Amino acid sequence: MAGEGEKKAVLEMVQADGADEGCVTFVLHDEDHTLGNSLRYMIMKNADVEFCGYTITHPSESKINFRIQTRGGIPAAEPLRRGLNELSDVCQHVLNTFQGLFPSQDSRGVLWRS
Amino acid sequence: KDCSFYWRKPNTPRPLGKMAASMKNVEEIRNRVILGEFGVTNVHTTDFPGNYPGYDDTWNVEKFQKNFRIDVVHLDENSMEFDMVGIDAAIANAFRRILLAEVPTMAIEKVFIYSNTSIVQDEVLAHRLGLIPIKADPRLFEYRNTEEEGSEIDTIQLQLKIKCSRNPRASKDSSDPRELYLNHMVYSKDIKWVPIGNQADVFADCCIGPVHDDILIAQLRPGQELDIVMHCVKGIGKDHAKFSPVATASYRLLPEITLLEVVEGEKAERLKQCFSRGVIDLEDINGTKVAKVVNSRLDTCSREVLRHSDLKNVVKLGRVRDHFIFTVESTGILPPDVLVTEAIKVLMAKCQRFLNELDSTIME
């Protein structure tokens, strides 16, 4: 994650031949339960999603297989994108609520306390 | 529709089976974790669309924002306790994991040992130095590229140069090392900052160095010396635990204790002893002492009451599934409220990274 020189794959899509666009397994690199579980929760809250789950294929490799199956022929990337946006909005709301409790902090938040 | 990939324990009751139960039971299954005598039930989040007829569980931003709140219970310069209500365990756990492992800090990484004649081995000394928390705001630095030479934007240079000698003014028959020797205990206050480049101007007002002055690094005897130069870099706890900015960060769910019947007299006294102090109080009603739940938040959920056969059916123990009591203890590098905001920003950055990646793959 820090200071990578060459380009590494971040997100891959794996689809079975013959399946429609609604059943896709995404491989997210350099991720674990932190993003996997929270993203799974947000995507499961979407009524168009028939199946959503993630696994960590091997604990020594930091990548997750994230599978989404939609109903109604919706391409699987769409609930993924929507889930990421909604998770980002949740974080923004939590951040605003939290920072609203400390109005005295300056925007950089650099506080040196002796 | 069925839920996610993770393994479901075989005898966990499925919510669909309990659909015939009463309204109250459904509410309890949706909102509470039940602490039973031999196990904990209703642990998983089940309020996904389609699981409960009559409930619309689709993600609703307004409903979330209306129910969500944060209450700070305790805040001082090193630790903080706050409540986060109305959020799911998956996201609360993500914040906890990020606080432990993905909020960056500065720590000593490269130790150049010019002279170490102490009894502590080089590698042990280097390991101890790495674990010392360094007071430098990591947001003002960048990650260091491993191939490049360290520069002022990604490296902090520190120096430890100390020599132990005999105290000429000690009395002849004293045996106290504090009197006999000078500099025989090497503390973290002996670590000095050596500014590189423009760091002396940029960080003129905030002194960079170890957070605590009294961390004992090594012990010396006369003639032994340490001459060490250290480079600090930015890193995350995932890489090495020395980069973790929290002493610990944890959460627990709010306990909920309900008394199913009136408990009075000696039984009430025993009931009070089963819980942590301050949870149950005895009220005087018409001369008899009646037990009342005063503050279930203080309970540590030891389930002691379930060990007494006459008391275990009187009480219902549970936890509120979306009320998280976070405790964040900082090592002193960043104040705990700054740590929480940084953790939330890290999760947002992760989402953004994949959104950008999705956009670029769709473009192709």
Coordinates of all heavy atoms in Angstrom, one line a residue, chain B residues 254-329:
Chain B
L254 N -23.9 -2.2 24.6 CA -24.5 -1.7 25.8 C -25.3 -2.9 26.4 O -26.2 -3.5 25.7 CB -25.5 -0.6 25.4 CG -26.3 0.0 26.6 CD1 -25.3 0.8 27.5 CD2 -27.4 0.8 26.1
P255 N -25.1 -3.3 27.6 CA -25.8 -4.4 28.2 C -27.3 -3.9 28.5 O -27.5 -2.7 28.7 CB -25.1 -4.7 29.5 CG -23.8 -3.9 29.5 CD -24.0 -2.8 28.5
E256 N -28.2 -4.9 28.6 CA -29.6 -4.6 28.9 C -30.1 -5.6 29.9 O -30.0 -6.8 29.5 CB -30.4 -4.6 27.7 CG -31.8 -4.0 27.9 CD -32.7 -4.2 26.7 OE1 -32.8 -5.3 26.2 OE2 -33.3 -3.2 26.3
I257 N -30.5 -5.2 31.0 CA -31.0 -6.1 32.0 C -32.4 -5.9 32.3 O -32.8 -4.7 32.6 CB -30.1 -6.0 33.3 CG1 -28.7 -6.2 33.0 CG2 -30.6 -6.9 34.4 CD1 -27.8 -5.7 34.1
T258 N -33.3 -6.9 32.1 CA -34.7 -6.7 32.4 C -35.1 -7.6 33.5 O -34.8 -8.8 33.5 CB -35.6 -7.0 31.2 OG1 -34.7 -7.1 30.0 CG2 -36.6 -6.0 31.0
L259 N -35.8 -7.1 34.5 CA -36.3 -8.0 35.6 C -37.7 -8.4 35.1 O -38.6 -7.6 34.9 CB -36.4 -7.2 36.9 CG -35.0 -6.8 37.4 CD1 -35.2 -6.0 38.7 CD2 -34.2 -8.0 37.8
L260 N -37.9 -9.8 35.1 CA -39.2 -10.3 34.6 C -40.2 -10.3 35.7 O -41.4 -10.4 35.4 CB -39.0 -11.7 34.1 CG -38.0 -11.8 32.9 CD1 -37.6 -13.2 32.6 CD2 -38.5 -11.1 31.7
E261 N -39.8 -10.3 37.0 CA -40.8 -10.3 38.0 C -40.3 -9.4 39.2 O -39.1 -9.0 39.2 CB -41.1 -11.7 38.5 CG -39.9 -12.5 38.8 CD -40.2 -13.9 39.2 OE1 -40.7 -14.6 38.3 OE2 -39.9 -14.3 40.3
V262 N -41.2 -9.1 40.1 CA -40.8 -8.3 41.2 C -39.9 -9.1 42.2 O -40.2 -10.2 42.6 CB -42.0 -7.8 42.0 CG1 -41.6 -7.0 43.2 CG2 -42.8 -6.9 41.0
V263 N -38.7 -8.6 42.5 CA -37.8 -9.3 43.4 C -37.7 -8.5 44.7 O -37.4 -7.3 44.6 CB -36.4 -9.4 42.7 CG1 -35.5 -10.3 43.6 CG2 -36.6 -10.1 41.4
E264 N -37.9 -9.1 45.8 CA -37.8 -8.3 47.0 C -37.2 -9.0 48.1 O -37.0 -10.2 48.1 CB -39.2 -7.8 47.5 CG -40.3 -8.8 47.2 CD -41.7 -8.2 47.5 OE1 -41.9 -7.0 47.3 OE2 -42.6 -9.0 47.9
G265 N -36.8 -8.3 49.1 CA -36.2 -8.9 50.4 C -34.8 -9.4 50.2 O -34.0 -8.8 49.5
E266 N -34.6 -10.6 50.8 CA -33.3 -11.2 50.8 C -32.9 -11.6 49.4 O -31.7 -11.5 49.0 CB -33.3 -12.3 51.7 CG -32.0 -13.1 51.9 CD -31.9 -14.3 51.0 OE1 -33.0 -14.7 50.5 OE2 -30.8 -14.7 50.8
K267 N -33.9 -12.0 48.6 CA -33.6 -12.4 47.2 C -33.1 -11.2 46.4 O -32.2 -11.3 45.6 CB -34.9 -12.9 46.5 CG -34.7 -13.9 45.5 CD -36.1 -14.6 45.2 CE -36.0 -15.1 43.8 NZ -37.3 -15.6 43.3
A268 N -33.7 -10.0 46.7 CA -33.2 -8.8 46.0 C -31.8 -8.5 46.4 O -31.0 -8.0 45.6 CB -34.1 -7.6 46.4
E269 N -31.5 -8.7 47.6 CA -30.1 -8.5 48.1 C -29.1 -9.4 47.3 O -28.1 -8.9 46.9 CB -30.0 -8.8 49.6 CG -28.8 -8.3 50.3 CD -28.9 -6.8 50.5 OE1 -30.0 -6.2 50.8 OE2 -27.9 -6.1 50.2
R270 N -29.5 -10.6 47.2 CA -28.6 -11.5 46.4 C -28.5 -11.2 45.0 O -27.4 -11.3 44.3 CB -29.1 -13.0 46.6 CG -28.6 -13.6 47.9 CD -28.9 -15.1 47.9 NE -30.3 -15.4 47.8 CZ -30.8 -16.2 46.9 NH1 -30.0 -16.9 46.1 NH2 -32.1 -16.5 46.9
L271 N -29.6 -10.7 44.4 CA -29.6 -10.3 43.0 C -28.7 -9.2 42.8 O -27.9 -9.1 41.8 CB -31.0 -9.9 42.6 CG -31.2 -9.7 41.1 CD1 -31.2 -11.0 40.4 CD2 -32.6 -8.9 40.9
K272 N -28.7 -8.2 43.8 CA -27.8 -7.1 43.7 C -26.3 -7.5 43.7 O -25.5 -6.9 43.0 CB -28.1 -6.1 44.9 CG -27.3 -4.9 44.8 CD -27.7 -3.9 45.9 CE -26.6 -2.8 46.0 NZ -27.0 -1.9 47.1
Q273 N -26.0 -8.5 44.5 CA -24.6 -9.0 44.5 C -24.2 -9.7 43.2 O -23.0 -9.8 43.0 CB -24.5 -10.0 45.7 CG -24.7 -9.4 47.0 CD -23.7 -8.3 47.4 OE1 -22.5 -8.4 47.1 NE2 -24.2 -7.3 48.0
C274 N -25.1 -10.1 42.4 CA -24.7 -10.9 41.2 C -24.2 -9.9 40.1 O -23.6 -10.4 39.2 CB -25.9 -11.6 40.7 SG -26.3 -13.1 41.6
F275 N -24.5 -8.7 40.2 CA -24.2 -7.8 39.1 C -23.1 -6.8 39.6 O -22.8 -6.7 40.8 CB -25.4 -6.9 38.7 CG -26.4 -7.7 38.0 CD1 -27.5 -8.3 38.6 CD2 -26.3 -8.0 36.6 CE1 -28.4 -9.0 38.0 CE2 -27.2 -8.8 36.0 CZ -28.3 -9.3 36.7
S276 N -22.4 -6.1 38.7 CA -21.4 -5.2 39.1 C -22.0 -4.1 40.0 O -23.2 -3.8 39.9 CB -20.8 -4.5 37.9 OG -20.4 -5.5 36.9
R277 N -21.2 -3.4 40.7 CA -21.7 -2.4 41.6 C -22.4 -1.2 40.9 O -21.8 -0.7 39.9 CB -20.6 -1.8 42.5 CG -21.0 -1.3 43.8 CD -19.9 -0.8 44.6 NE -18.8 -1.8 44.7 CZ -17.7 -1.6 45.4 NH1 -17.6 -0.5 46.1 NH2 -16.7 -2.5 45.4
G278 N -23.5 -0.8 41.3 CA -24.2 0.3 40.7 C -25.2 -0.1 39.7 O -25.9 0.8 39.2
V279 N -25.3 -1.4 39.3 CA -26.2 -1.8 38.3 C -27.6 -1.9 38.9 O -28.6 -1.4 38.3 CB -25.8 -3.1 37.7 CG1 -26.8 -3.6 36.7 CG2 -24.5 -3.0 37.0
I280 N -27.7 -2.6 40.0 CA -29.0 -2.8 40.7 C -29.1 -2.1 42.0 O -28.1 -2.2 42.8 CB -29.2 -4.4 40.9 CG1 -29.2 -5.1 39.6 CG2 -30.5 -4.6 41.7 CD1 -30.4 -5.9 39.3
D281 N -30.2 -1.5 42.2 CA -30.3 -0.8 43.5 C -31.6 -1.3 44.2 O -32.5 -1.7 43.6 CB -30.5 0.7 43.3 CG -29.6 1.5 44.2 OD1 -28.8 0.9 45.0 OD2 -29.5 2.8 44.1
L282 N -31.5 -1.2 45.5 CA -32.7 -1.7 46.3 C -33.5 -0.5 46.7 O -33.0 0.4 47.4 CB -32.2 -2.4 47.5 CG -31.4 -3.7 47.2 CD1 -30.8 -4.3 48.5 CD2 -32.2 -4.7 46.4
E283 N -34.8 -0.4 46.3 CA -35.7 0.7 46.7 C -36.6 0.2 47.8 O -36.9 -0.9 47.9 CB -36.7 0.9 45.5 CG -36.3 2.0 44.6 CD -37.4 2.2 43.6 OE1 -38.1 1.3 43.3 OE2 -37.4 3.4 43.1
D284 N -36.9 1.2 48.7 CA -37.7 0.9 49.8 C -39.2 1.1 49.4 O -39.6 2.3 49.3 CB -37.3 1.7 51.0 CG -37.4 1.0 52.3 OD1 -38.3 0.0 52.3 OD2 -36.7 1.3 53.2
I285 N -40.0 0.1 49.2 CA -41.4 0.3 48.9 C -42.2 -0.4 50.0 O -42.2 -1.6 50.1 CB -41.7 -0.3 47.5 CG1 -41.0 0.4 46.4 CG2 -43.2 -0.2 47.2 CD1 -41.3 0.0 45.0
N286 N -43.0 0.4 50.7 CA -43.9 -0.1 51.8 C -43.1 -1.0 52.7 O -43.6 -2.1 53.2 CB -45.0 -1.0 51.2 CG -45.9 -0.1 50.3 OD1 -46.0 1.1 50.5 ND2 -46.6 -0.8 49.3
G287 N -41.9 -0.6 53.1 CA -41.1 -1.4 54.1 C -40.3 -2.5 53.5 O -39.3 -2.9 54.2
T288 N -40.6 -3.0 52.3 CA -39.7 -4.1 51.8 C -38.7 -3.5 50.8 O -39.1 -2.5 50.0 CB -40.5 -5.2 51.1 OG1 -41.4 -4.6 50.2 CG2 -41.2 -6.0 52.1
K289 N -37.6 -4.1 50.7 CA -36.6 -3.7 49.7 C -36.9 -4.4 48.3 O -37.0 -5.6 48.3 CB -35.2 -4.0 50.1 CG -34.7 -3.2 51.3 CD -33.2 -3.3 51.5 CE -32.7 -2.4 52.6 NZ -33.0 -1.0 52.4
V290 N -37.1 -3.6 47.3 CA -37.4 -4.1 46.0 C -36.2 -3.8 45.1 O -35.7 -2.7 45.1 CB -38.7 -3.5 45.4 CG1 -39.0 -4.0 44.0 CG2 -39.8 -3.8 46.4
A291 N -35.9 -4.8 44.2 CA -34.7 -4.5 43.3 C -35.1 -3.8 42.1 O -36.2 -4.0 41.6 CB -34.1 -5.9 42.9
K292 N -34.3 -2.9 41.7 CA -34.6 -2.1 40.5 C -33.3 -1.9 39.7 O -32.2 -1.7 40.3 CB -35.1 -0.7 40.9 CG -35.7 0.1 39.8 CD -36.2 1.4 40.3 CE -35.1 2.4 40.4 NZ -35.6 3.8 40.1
V293 N -33.4 -2.0 38.4 CA -32.2 -1.8 37.5 C -32.0 -0.3 37.4 O -32.8 0.4 36.8 CB -32.4 -2.5 36.1 CG1 -31.2 -2.2 35.3 CG2 -32.6 -3.9 36.3
V294 N -30.8 0.1 37.9 CA -30.5 1.6 37.8 C -29.7 2.0 36.6 O -30.0 2.8 35.9 CB -29.8 2.0 39.1 CG1 -29.2 3.3 39.0 CG2 -30.7 1.9 40.3
N295 N -28.6 1.2 36.4 CA -27.7 1.6 35.3 C -27.0 0.4 34.7 O -26.0 -0.1 35.2 CB -26.6 2.6 35.9 CG -25.8 3.2 34.8 OD1 -26.0 2.9 33.6 ND2 -24.8 4.1 35.2
S296 N -27.6 -0.2 33.7 CA -27.1 -1.4 33.2 C -25.8 -1.2 32.4 O -25.1 -2.2 32.1 CB -28.2 -2.1 32.3 OG -28.5 -1.2 31.3
R297 N -25.5 0.0 32.1 CA -24.2 0.3 31.4 C -23.0 -0.1 32.1 O -22.0 -0.5 31.6 CB -24.2 1.8 31.0 CG -23.1 2.2 30.1 CD -22.8 3.7 30.3 NE -21.6 4.0 29.6 CZ -21.6 4.5 28.4 NH1 -22.7 4.6 27.7 NH2 -20.4 4.8 27.9
L298 N -23.1 -0.1 33.5 CA -21.9 -0.4 34.3 C -21.7 -1.9 34.4 O -20.6 -2.3 34.9 CB -22.1 0.1 35.7 CG -22.3 1.6 35.8 CD1 -22.8 2.0 37.2 CD2 -21.0 2.3 35.5
D299 N -22.6 -2.7 33.9 CA -22.4 -4.1 34.1 C -21.3 -4.7 33.2 O -21.2 -4.3 32.0 CB -23.8 -4.9 33.8 CG -23.7 -6.3 34.3 OD1 -23.0 -6.6 35.2 OD2 -24.4 -7.1 33.6
T300 N -20.6 -5.7 33.7 CA -19.6 -6.3 32.9 C -20.1 -7.6 32.2 O -19.3 -8.3 31.6 CB -18.3 -6.6 33.7 OG1 -18.7 -7.3 34.9 CG2 -17.6 -5.4 34.1
C301 N -21.4 -7.9 32.4 CA -22.0 -9.1 31.8 C -21.3 -10.4 32.1 O -20.9 -11.2 31.3 CB -22.1 -8.9 30.3 SG -23.2 -7.7 29.8
S302 N -21.1 -10.6 33.4 CA -20.4 -11.8 33.8 C -21.4 -13.0 33.9 O -21.0 -14.1 34.0 CB -19.8 -11.6 35.2 OG -20.8 -11.3 36.1
R303 N -22.7 -12.7 33.8 CA -23.7 -13.7 33.8 C -23.7 -14.5 35.1 O -24.1 -15.7 35.2 CB -23.6 -14.7 32.6 CG -24.0 -14.0 31.3 CD -24.1 -15.0 30.2 NE -22.8 -15.2 29.6 CZ -22.5 -16.2 28.7 NH1 -23.5 -17.1 28.4 NH2 -21.3 -16.4 28.2
E304 N -23.3 -13.9 36.2 CA -23.2 -14.6 37.5 C -24.6 -15.0 37.9 O -24.8 -16.0 38.6 CB -22.5 -13.6 38.5 CG -22.7 -14.0 39.9 CD -21.9 -15.2 40.3 OE1 -20.9 -15.5 39.6 OE2 -22.2 -15.9 41.3
V305 N -25.6 -14.1 37.6 CA -27.0 -14.4 38.1 C -27.5 -15.7 37.5 O -28.3 -16.4 38.2 CB -27.9 -13.2 37.7 CG1 -28.1 -13.1 36.2 CG2 -29.2 -13.3 38.4
L306 N -27.0 -16.1 36.4 CA -27.5 -17.4 35.8 C -26.9 -18.6 36.5 O -27.4 -19.7 36.2 CB -27.1 -17.4 34.3 CG -27.6 -16.3 33.4 CD1 -27.1 -16.4 32.0 CD2 -29.1 -16.3 33.4
R307 N -26.0 -18.4 37.4 CA -25.5 -19.5 38.2 C -26.4 -19.9 39.4 O -26.2 -20.9 40.0 CB -24.1 -19.2 38.7 CG -23.0 -19.1 37.5 CD -21.7 -18.8 38.1 NE -21.2 -19.9 38.9 CZ -20.6 -19.7 40.1 NH1 -20.4 -18.5 40.6 NH2 -20.2 -20.7 40.8
H308 N -27.3 -19.0 39.7 CA -28.1 -19.3 40.9 C -29.5 -19.8 40.4 O -30.2 -19.0 39.6 CB -28.3 -18.0 41.7 CG -27.0 -17.4 42.2 ND1 -26.5 -17.7 43.4 CD2 -26.1 -16.6 41.5 CE1 -25.3 -17.1 43.5 NE2 -25.1 -16.4 42.4
S309 N -29.9 -20.9 40.7 CA -31.1 -21.5 40.2 C -32.4 -20.8 40.5 O -33.3 -20.8 39.7 CB -31.2 -23.0 40.6 OG -31.1 -23.1 42.0
D310 N -32.4 -20.1 41.6 CA -33.7 -19.3 41.9 C -33.7 -17.9 41.3 O -34.7 -17.3 41.2 CB -33.9 -19.2 43.4 CG -32.8 -18.6 44.1 OD1 -31.6 -18.6 43.6 OD2 -33.0 -18.0 45.2
L311 N -32.5 -17.5 40.8 CA -32.4 -16.1 40.3 C -32.4 -16.1 38.8 O -32.7 -15.1 38.2 CB -31.2 -15.4 40.8 CG -31.1 -15.1 42.3 CD1 -29.8 -14.5 42.7 CD2 -32.3 -14.2 42.7
K312 N -32.1 -17.2 38.2 CA -31.8 -17.2 36.7 C -33.1 -16.9 35.9 O -33.0 -16.4 34.8 CB -31.1 -18.4 36.3 CG -31.8 -19.7 36.3 CD -30.9 -20.8 35.8 CE -31.4 -22.1 35.9 NZ -30.5 -23.2 35.7
N313 N -34.3 -17.3 36.4 CA -35.5 -17.1 35.6 C -36.1 -15.7 35.9 O -37.1 -15.4 35.3 CB -36.5 -18.2 35.9 CG -35.9 -19.5 35.5 OD1 -35.3 -19.6 34.4 ND2 -36.1 -20.5 36.3
V314 N -35.5 -15.0 36.8 CA -36.1 -13.7 37.1 C -35.6 -12.6 36.2 O -36.2 -11.5 36.0 CB -35.7 -13.4 38.6 CG1 -35.8 -12.0 39.0 CG2 -36.4 -14.3 39.5
V315 N -34.4 -12.8 35.6 CA -33.7 -11.8 34.9 C -33.6 -12.2 33.4 O -33.4 -13.4 33.1 CB -32.3 -11.6 35.5 CG1 -31.5 -10.6 34.7 CG2 -32.4 -11.3 36.9
K316 N -33.6 -11.2 32.5 CA -33.3 -11.4 31.1 C -32.1 -10.6 30.8 O -32.1 -9.3 30.9 CB -34.5 -11.0 30.3 CG -34.5 -11.5 28.9 CD -35.7 -10.9 28.2 CE -35.9 -11.5 26.8 NZ -36.3 -12.9 26.8
L317 N -31.0 -11.2 30.4 CA -29.8 -10.5 30.0 C -29.6 -10.4 28.5 O -29.8 -11.4 27.8 CB -28.6 -11.3 30.6 CG -28.5 -11.5 32.1 CD1 -27.3 -12.3 32.5 CD2 -28.4 -10.1 32.8
G318 N -29.3 -9.2 28.1 CA -29.0 -9.1 26.7 C -28.2 -7.9 26.4 O -27.7 -7.2 27.3
R319 N -27.9 -7.7 25.1 CA -27.1 -6.5 24.7 C -27.9 -5.8 23.6 O -28.5 -6.5 22.7 CB -25.7 -6.9 24.3 CG -24.8 -7.4 25.4 CD -23.4 -7.5 24.9 NE -22.5 -8.1 25.8 CZ -21.6 -7.4 26.5 NH1 -21.7 -6.1 26.6 NH2 -20.8 -8.1 27.3
V320 N -27.8 -4.5 23.5 CA -28.4 -3.8 22.4 C -27.4 -3.9 21.2 O -26.3 -3.5 21.3 CB -28.6 -2.3 22.8 CG1 -29.3 -1.6 21.7 CG2 -29.4 -2.2 24.1
R321 N -27.9 -4.4 20.1 CA -27.0 -4.8 19.0 C -26.4 -3.6 18.3 O -25.3 -3.7 17.7 CB -27.7 -5.7 18.0 CG -26.7 -6.6 17.4 CD -27.2 -7.4 16.3 NE -28.1 -8.5 16.7 CZ -29.1 -8.9 16.1 NH1 -29.5 -8.3 14.9 NH2 -29.9 -9.9 16.5
D322 N -27.0 -2.4 18.3 CA -26.4 -1.3 17.6 C -25.9 -0.2 18.4 O -25.7 0.9 17.9 CB -27.4 -0.8 16.5 CG -28.7 -0.2 17.2 OD1 -28.8 -0.4 18.4 OD2 -29.5 0.4 16.5
H323 N -25.7 -0.4 19.7 CA -25.2 0.6 20.6 C -23.8 0.2 21.0 O -23.6 -0.7 21.8 CB -26.1 0.7 21.8 CG -25.7 1.9 22.7 ND1 -26.7 2.7 23.2 CD2 -24.6 2.3 23.2 CE1 -26.1 3.6 24.0 NE2 -24.8 3.4 24.0
F324 N -22.7 0.9 20.5 CA -21.4 0.5 20.8 C -20.7 1.5 21.7 O -20.8 2.7 21.5 CB -20.6 0.5 19.4 CG -21.1 -0.6 18.5 CD1 -22.1 -0.3 17.6 CD2 -20.6 -1.9 18.6 CE1 -22.5 -1.2 16.7 CE2 -21.1 -2.8 17.7 CZ -22.0 -2.5 16.8
I325 N -20.1 1.0 22.7 CA -19.3 1.9 23.7 C -17.9 1.7 23.4 O -17.3 0.7 23.7 CB -19.6 1.4 25.1 CG1 -21.1 1.5 25.4 CG2 -18.9 2.3 26.1 CD1 -21.5 0.9 26.7
F326 N -17.3 2.7 22.7 CA -15.9 2.6 22.3 C -15.0 3.1 23.4 O -15.3 4.1 24.0 CB -15.7 3.5 21.0 CG -16.0 2.8 19.7 CD1 -17.2 2.7 19.2 CD2 -15.0 2.2 19.0 CE1 -17.5 2.1 18.0 CE2 -15.2 1.6 17.8 CZ -16.5 1.6 17.3
T327 N -13.9 2.5 23.5 CA -12.8 3.0 24.4 C -11.5 3.1 23.6 O -11.1 2.1 23.1 CB -12.6 2.1 25.6 OG1 -13.8 1.8 26.2 CG2 -11.6 2.7 26.6
V328 N -11.0 4.3 23.4 CA -9.8 4.5 22.6 C -8.7 5.0 23.5 O -8.9 6.1 24.1 CB -10.0 5.5 21.5 CG1 -8.8 5.7 20.7 CG2 -11.1 4.9 20.6
E329 N -7.6 4.3 23.7 CA -6.5 4.8 24.5 C -5.3 5.1 23.6 O -4.8 4.2 22.9 CB -6.0 3.8 25.5 CG -7.0 3.4 26.5 CD -6.5 2.3 27.4 OE1 -5.3 2.1 27.5 OE2 -7.4 1.5 27.9

